[in-house]
Amino acid sequence: TSFNMSIDESNTEKGMQIDILPNPGVQSANISIETVNTLPYQVQVFDPTGKLIFSKDGSLQNEQFSVSNLAAGLYSVTLTQGDQIMTRKFVVQ
């Protein structure tokens, strides 16, 4: 089962945006990153215990990542660009 759901809160801060669809998801999530510049950044996904399960460096202003086969739980995504850090949470059912 898959569906699209927009996130109600504004995800744009400090020239960075993270969209996570679907949220909540079933065993997977698509993470979309947008930045206003091309400075290098790092995306990290942490499982419900705080363990790093995915990490990717990037520099594109628009990029998407797929995180599949996730166990049920509350996950967090952290986007770091220079001294700017943004964290968003998503649920896998």
Side-chain angles (χ1 to χ4, degrees), residues 14-36:
K14 306 170 189 168
M16 303 185 302
Q17 179 173 326
I18 300 174
D19 289 317
I20 304 165
L21 297 172
N23 190 17
V26 179
Q27 293 185 326
S28 69
N30 291 309
I31 302 166
S32 176
I33 303 297
E34 291 186 38
T35 62
V36 296

Side-chain angles (χ1 to χ4, degrees), residues 16 33-44 54-65 78-82:
M16 303 185 302
I33 303 297
E34 291 186 38
T35 62
V36 296
N37 57 52
T38 57
L39 293 174
Y41 58 81
Q42 183 178 52
V43 176
Q44 296 176 306
F54 176 83
S55 182
K56 168 93 169 133
D57 293 328
S59 61
L60 299 175
Q61 286 180 292
N62 295 293
E63 192 160 0
Q64 289 193 341
F65 307 98
T78 300
L79 172 61
T80 305
Q81 186 177 50

Side-chain angles (χ1 to χ4, degrees), residues 11-17 36-37 81 83-86:
N11 288 321
T12 304
E13 291 177 14
K14 306 170 189 168
M16 303 185 302
Q17 179 173 326
V36 296
N37 57 52
Q81 186 177 50
D83 61 351
Q84 306 292 329
I85 298 172
M86 174 187 287

